Amino acid sequence: MKRHRLARYSVAVVILLTSCASVRTIPIVYTPAVARDAAGRHDYETAVQAIAAVMVEDLSLPRLDSVLMVYPHVGVYEMGLRMELDDRPNAADRSVAFAVASCGRRKVLADGRRLAELSWPNRVRTLAHEMIHLAQFELADWSCNAPPYWLMEGFAEWGALKVVDKLGLGNFATAVESSKKAVTAVRGAELPGLDRLYSEAQWAAAEETVGRSAVYSESLLAVDFLIGRKGLAAVKDYFASFKESGTGGDRFVAAFGDDGRTFAIEFMAYVKNRSL
């Protein structure tokens, strides 16, 4: 009996190692003079270069020296999450998205098979979202201190939509309008305030209550509202402040001049007054 179990284990290890050999590792680096129209090709390496170009040249985000790891299927992807996400130990124990950024390892990990189910523009958007997370971590000197989830995820989505727009694969204004519809479709009493989108646990609970689309849409619109009032540079200063000690409230006031609670109230008034 023990020999049979050992044999089965050995076969599993061989299959796992074979699968790992097919993991693609793609450098994430900024290369000047990249042809942005090449982002339309169904090639991850070209897309990553084009995304990096927009991030640096249009959004003035830091140059990255990272990698994208594309796993062949979900089984190997989940194994990769457990190996790589030492800064997010529970990530592999729940349903994970198509891709995720690791601050501790300075990488983007992606499930290649699930990504392939998306349209090409949405694949580029997904990769851009995770690369912008890496830029957030870079701004904070890779301290891996987590900002409020609504701001971290909302900015990654805002930036990803800007990237897709600049690459000619989508329209930022149209995407924002879609987000407004997703938010207004949720009753005001059910829509979580930004103070209920602060931690990962709160974010997950909100997704269960109102749906993933509404939560991402609300955070995107909050960041768009924030940038419209305070500017993109202030948001980048806020992320950069996480390399230093201090409370979240102090950082928010220092970067934006208002405390987080005041901003959250103003944003919800903006939503409820149907200014959207």
Side-chain angles (χ1 to χ4, degrees), residues 131-143:
M131 286 172 60
I132 288 172
H133 278 316
L134 291 185
Q136 294 168 348
F137 302 141
E138 169 69 44
L139 284 167
D141 284 348
W142 302 97
S143 64

Side-chain angles (χ1 to χ4, degrees), residues 154 157-158 161 175-176 179 216-225:
E157 194 64 5
W158 184 91
L161 291 173
V176 169
S179 293
Y216 269 96
S217 294
E218 180 183 354
S219 297
L220 163 67
L221 294 175
V223 168
D224 194 51
F225 183 64

Side-chain angles (χ1 to χ4, degrees), residues 3-98:
R3 287 183 179 179
H4 289 311
R5 284 199 299 268
L6 183 59
R8 286 196 296 269
Y9 176 78
S10 298
V11 170
V13 170
V14 170
I15 293 173
L16 191 58
L17 290 175
T18 301
S19 299
C20 287
S22 61
V23 176
R24 292 185 61 193
T25 301
I26 299 168
I28 297 177
V29 293
Y30 169 64
T31 304
V34 165
R36 296 188 180 188
D37 57 356
R41 303 174 190 165
H42 287 219
D43 176 75
Y44 288 135
E45 187 167 357
T46 304
V48 165
Q49 290 180 349
I51 293 168
V54 175
M55 288 173 60
V56 172
E57 297 169 5
D58 296 78
L59 303 180
S60 299
L61 290 171
R63 300 185 182 196
L64 298 173
D65 184 10
S66 309
V67 296
L68 162 66
M69 298 183 68
V70 183
Y71 295 85
H73 57 77
V74 68
V76 183
Y77 177 53
E78 289 180 350
M79 183 198 70
L81 293 179
R82 289 187 171 89
M83 291 175 61
E84 301 281 356
L85 295 191
D86 48 1
D87 54 321
R88 292 178 59 188
N90 297 322
D93 297 330
R94 60 184 177 82
S95 177
V96 293
F98 301 95

Side-chain angles (χ1 to χ4, degrees), residues 75-274:
V76 183
Y77 177 53
E78 289 180 350
M79 183 198 70
L81 293 179
R82 289 187 171 89
M83 291 175 61
E84 301 281 356
L85 295 191
D86 48 1
D87 54 321
R88 292 178 59 188
N90 297 322
D93 297 330
R94 60 184 177 82
S95 177
V96 293
F98 301 95
V100 64
S102 168
C103 176
R105 299 303 178 98
R106 306 187 185 189
K107 297 177 179 178
V108 172
L109 316 176
D111 180 350
R113 186 169 296 178
R114 292 186 68 197
L115 270 184
E117 297 172 358
L118 302 176
S119 67
W120 182 249
N122 278 328
R123 282 188 244 179
V124 174
R125 173 179 170 177
T126 299
L127 295 179
H129 180 107
E130 301 305 333
M131 286 172 60
I132 288 172
H133 278 316
L134 291 185
Q136 294 168 348
F137 302 141
E138 169 69 44
L139 284 167
D141 284 348
W142 302 97
S143 64
C144 300
N145 295 318
Y149 247 65
W150 72 264
L151 213 167
M152 182 171 68
E153 293 295 340
F155 181 72
E157 194 64 5
W158 184 91
L161 291 173
K162 286 288 186 181
V163 167
V164 170
D165 183 278
K166 294 292 184 181
L167 294 178
L169 298 175
N171 183 276
F172 180 81
T174 300
V176 169
E177 287 303 313
S178 296
S179 293
K180 290 178 181 178
K181 291 178 182 178
V183 166
T184 55
V186 179
R187 294 179 183 178
E190 295 179 355
L191 192 69
L194 298 181
D195 60 331
R196 289 168 54 202
L197 296 175
Y198 198 92
S199 68
E200 184 175 11
Q202 289 176 320
W203 181 277
E207 284 191 359
E208 289 289 329
T209 303
V210 299
R212 183 180 180 86
S213 176
V215 176
Y216 269 96
S217 294
E218 180 183 354
S219 297
L220 163 67
L221 294 175
V223 168
D224 194 51
F225 183 64
L226 181 62
I227 291 174
R229 295 181 63 212
K230 305 296 182 179
L232 177 57
V235 175
K236 290 186 288 187
D237 287 343
Y238 177 73
F239 288 120
S241 73
F242 278 78
K243 60 189 169 188
E244 302 169 355
S245 60
T247 65
D250 293 338
R251 295 187 184 101
F252 201 94
V253 171
F256 305 116
D258 297 324
D259 63 85
R261 179 172 301 220
T262 299
F263 174 78
I265 292 171
E266 291 175 351
F267 172 68
M268 290 307 293
Y270 166 71
V271 172
K272 290 180 180 179
N273 290 336
R274 299 192 179 275

